[in-house]
Amino acid sequence: MMKKQLQITLLFLAISNIVFAQDDALNQSGIDRGKIARVGLQIGLNSPSMEFTKINDPSIYPELGFMPRLNAGIYSEGGATENFVFHIGLFYSGAGYQTSDVTTTLDYVQIPLIFNFRTDLFNKAYLQLGGGFYGGYAFSGKSITDSEIDRDIISTREADDVNEFYVLDIGLILKADFEYNINEKRIIKVGASYNFGVLNASNEFTDNSANQDITYDFGAKNRIFSFNLTYLINLNK
């Protein structure tokens, strides 16, 4: 547990260094950031699922159901022009999957880096379209099967710590936002995004519950569709 807390702390420090490094680089380059320079909070609803890439028999592929999870965090948006902006954040993001008899939940600390094209719609309203990358660290997870709760399904892939899911997740993001400027200082955004995990989030593990050792690796990859609401403050106004 202490090791996981240390890794999460290091992740927070890493994102802080990235933000400050970008700020210093823009200051030294002489780029005018007056166009876009914002910080704020985002909260939203995830609809997570998983694609099991190592299940070759369609007849045993699980039927996945809707399972709402939360996402929330801090958000920074910047850009040298009004038309091309980037954002970076630090979020909690709920993931997992649900079938008729299994509910698996994973809790991630996630860092997205997204590049958007921003265009006018009408007075004070804009559309942002873009994509980018994300990295995630699963700090907890549990699986509920037939009313039995397994509270430790997260693995660091060390020899003495092999469970069903790996702590790291890396993937791509597609994002669309409707932006409305309440005034020069305050902005709200309503949007949707899709996370497409490219890293195998599941881990090879052995089940000996039936008095025989059976090794599994489903090749699970995260798929998360999200709706988000963001409140931003313009730092340059």
Side-chain angles (χ1 to χ4, degrees):
M1 185 64 180
M2 288 297 294
K3 184 174 181 180
K4 288 183 179 180
Q5 290 175 343
L6 177 59
Q7 290 171 324
I8 293 172
T9 301
L10 292 175
L11 191 62
F12 274 87
L13 291 174
I15 187 65
S16 299
N17 287 335
I18 290 172
V19 172
F20 284 122
Q22 288 174 338
D23 185 73
D24 289 342
L26 288 174
N27 283 334
Q28 293 173 7
S29 67
I31 293 175
D32 179 9
R33 295 178 300 157
K35 300 288 188 179
I36 304 289
R38 306 163 173 174
V39 295
L41 301 174
Q42 178 175 296
I43 188 168
L45 180 69
N46 285 353
S47 175
S49 184
M50 285 191 171
E51 182 179 354
F52 300 96
T53 60
K54 294 186 179 180
I55 295 180
N56 298 318
D57 185 354
S59 66
I60 64 172
Y61 199 93
E63 183 176 344
L64 303 180
F66 172 67
M67 181 178 65
R69 301 294 313 279
L70 176 70
N71 75 76
I74 57 175
Y75 179 103
S76 173
E77 184 176 88
T81 73
E82 289 188 346
N83 296 115
F84 294 96
V85 299
F86 70 90
H87 86 239
I88 189 169
L90 183 62
F91 296 96
Y92 162 79
S93 182
Y97 69 95
Q98 185 174 60
T99 68
S100 59
D101 58 353
V102 177
T103 298
T104 297
T105 58
L106 299 168
D107 301 304
Y108 285 94
V109 175
Q110 187 181 93
I111 301 173
L113 178 61
I114 300 176
F115 301 89
N116 288 339
F117 174 74
R118 179 174 180 265
T119 185
D120 292 17
L121 289 179
F122 50 87
N123 185 33
K124 297 184 178 181
Y126 300 85
L127 177 66
Q128 291 194 26
L129 298 173
F133 313 92
Y134 75 87
Y137 180 93
F139 60 90
S140 71
K142 67 180 180 180
S143 181
I144 305 175
T145 305
D146 298 330
S147 300
E148 295 182 2
I149 300 178
D150 176 5
R151 295 190 178 277
D152 188 16
I153 61 172
I154 301 298
S155 171
T156 58
R157 288 186 178 165
E158 296 176 354
D160 59 346
D161 182 23
V162 178
N163 292 301
E164 296 176 44
F165 288 89
Y166 187 36
V167 293
L168 296 181
D169 184 38
I170 297 172
L172 306 175
I173 304 178
L174 296 176
K175 199 171 194 308
D177 288 299
F178 170 79
E179 171 192 331
Y180 182 74
N181 290 249
I182 301 171
N183 53 39
E184 291 186 344
K185 188 72 174 179
R186 295 175 295 174
I187 304 100
I188 59 170
K189 293 171 66 174
V190 178
S193 63
Y194 183 72
N195 288 17
F196 184 89
V198 298
L199 188 67
N200 186 0
S202 63
N203 200 33
E204 184 177 285
F205 69 100
T206 300
D207 183 4
N208 54 13
S209 59
N211 296 322
Q212 57 179 333
D213 291 342
I214 303 176
T215 299
Y216 297 95
D217 183 0
F218 298 126
K221 296 183 178 181
N222 280 309
R223 305 285 184 260
I224 303 176
F225 186 78
S226 302
F227 291 99
N228 306 298
L229 175 65
T230 308
Y231 178 78
L232 296 165
I233 298 294
N234 191 339
L235 298 179
N236 291 342
K237 297 294 183 178

